[in-house]
């Protein structure tokens, strides 16, 4: 049973460019969340998608956008890259329709973005 | 979500039990205590969670105090592969499930 897969694993961009990261959720999961993890910090929630709609959003600017496809896979787009966007971007999947306390996240290994 | 407090680092000898503490004095009645860990260069991994009763699974045990203001994650026989950052997170765990990570505890298991 495949877990969460992310691509690419590493990439280098320059300031001002745009990047797209991709995520396939764990089989059977319908909800995808994205997290940003700067070096030495814990992951920070960016946003969550369910039924192809953004359901929750963390404290990130509009330069960060996403999409969820009918097969539940997802993309994270970042426009006008800044040096501070350099981080590990983690995708996590879960089930939407779970009772309180029954939900856990399955994370992918992440995409490491370096902005020069 | 309620805030948690964890020591920044701990050491443990291989084969011994690792006891990782977490304070969550502002936890509300419907919030669960979750533990995740992150091994270097990997994504976080779910370990265990509980509401008020002690919990055990194949990875660890979770002891929650009666007043629910603190908890301890126990790895009964730590191995070198358990070296990781351990995150204690309080969350209601429903459909809008999103995690607020702190800096966690870096557990180093020594040979």
């Amino acid at each position: 049973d495949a877990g969460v897969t992310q691509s690419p694993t590493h990439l280098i961009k320059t300031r001002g460019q745009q990047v797209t990261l991709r995520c396939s959720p764990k089989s059977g999961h319908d909800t995808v969340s994205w997290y940003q993890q700067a070096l030495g910090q814990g992951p920070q929630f960016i946003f969550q998608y369910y039924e192809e709609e953004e359901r929750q959003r963390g404290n990130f600017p509009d330069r960060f956008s996403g999409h969820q496809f009918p097969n539940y896979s997802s993309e994270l787009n970042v426009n006008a890259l800044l040096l501070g966007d350099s981080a590990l971007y983690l995708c996590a999947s879960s089930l939407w329709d779970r009772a309180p306390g029954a939900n856990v996240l399955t994370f992918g290994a992440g995409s490491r973005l370096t902005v020069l | 979500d309620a805030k948690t407090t964890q020591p920044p680092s701990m050491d443990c000898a291989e084969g011994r039990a690792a006891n990782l503490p977490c304070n969550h004095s502002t936890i509300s009645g419907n919030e669960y205590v979750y533990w995740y860990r992150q091994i270097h260069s990997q994504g976080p991994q779910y370990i265990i969670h509980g509401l008020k009763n002690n919990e055990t699974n194949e990875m660890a045990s979770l002891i929650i105090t009666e007043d629910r203001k603190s908890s301890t994650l126990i790895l009964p026989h730590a191995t070198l592969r358990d070296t990781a950052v351990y995150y204690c997170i309080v969350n209601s765990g429903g459909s809008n499930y999103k995690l607020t990570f702190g800096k966690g505890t870096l557990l180093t298991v020594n040979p």
Side-chain angles (χ1 to χ4, degrees):
Chain A
D1 182 23
V4 176
T5 57
Q6 293 186 241
S7 63
T9 55
H10 295 83
L11 69 167
I12 300 173
K13 294 286 188 177
T14 57
R15 282 177 296 176
Q17 286 189 311
Q18 177 263 345
V19 67
T20 297
L21 308 178
R22 297 176 176 80
C23 171
S24 292
K26 179 180 177 180
S27 178
H29 282 182
D30 56 14
T31 303
V32 173
S33 301
W34 288 91
Y35 289 77
Q36 179 196 65
Q37 186 173 25
L39 203 60
Q41 304 295 317
Q44 301 299 306
F45 175 75
I46 303 175
F47 42 53
Q48 177 192 61
Y49 277 84
Y50 170 67
E51 289 190 332
E52 303 178 49
E53 290 186 12
E54 183 182 293
R55 299 291 177 159
Q56 295 187 89
R57 189 179 183 90
N59 188 25
F60 280 81
D62 292 344
R63 298 187 297 108
F64 290 76
S65 63
H67 189 77
Q68 186 181 34
F69 299 95
N71 67 353
Y72 308 120
S73 67
S74 176
E75 289 182 350
L76 164 66
N77 300 291
V78 186
N79 295 321
L81 285 168
L82 303 174
L83 296 180
D85 295 331
S86 294
L88 180 67
Y89 288 85
L90 295 160
C91 173
S93 71
S94 58
L95 281 168
W96 183 260
D97 188 19
R98 296 301 299 269
N103 225 340
V104 297
L105 292 181
T106 301
F107 284 85
S111 295
R112 183 162 297 282
L113 171 66
T114 301
V115 182
L116 301 178
Chain B
D1 298 337
K3 184 176 178 179
T4 62
T5 303
Q6 299 177 253
S9 63
M10 295 183 64
D11 286 329
C12 177
E14 188 177 20
R16 304 296 295 269
N19 297 283
L20 291 89
C22 179
N23 288 322
H24 32 79
S25 59
T26 60
I27 191 170
S28 60
N30 67 337
E31 289 182 314
Y32 291 72
V33 180
Y34 288 82
W35 285 83
Y36 284 75
R37 74 179 182 183
Q38 187 172 22
I39 296 170
H40 184 61
S41 297
Q42 298 182 22
Q45 175 192 26
Y46 165 78
I47 301 173
I48 197 168
H49 74 287
L51 183 63
K52 54 184 177 181
N53 298 318
N54 298 338
E55 302 287 345
T56 296
N57 63 19
E58 65 279 3
M59 290 182 67
S61 295
L62 174 60
I63 308 298
I64 303 174
T65 58
E66 191 168 346
D67 63 8
R68 303 210 320 126
K69 293 184 177 182
S70 65
S71 60
T72 301
L73 178 74
I74 301 172
L75 307 179
H77 305 287
T79 70
L80 298 180
R81 288 177 294 180
D82 292 321
T83 293
V85 177
Y86 287 76
Y87 296 100
C88 169
I89 302 166
V90 170
N91 190 279
S92 60
S95 294
N96 61 344
Y97 184 65
K98 66 179 177 71
L99 299 179
T100 301
F101 288 84
K103 291 191 174 183
T105 296
L106 172 59
L107 174 69
T108 302
V109 181
N110 300 303

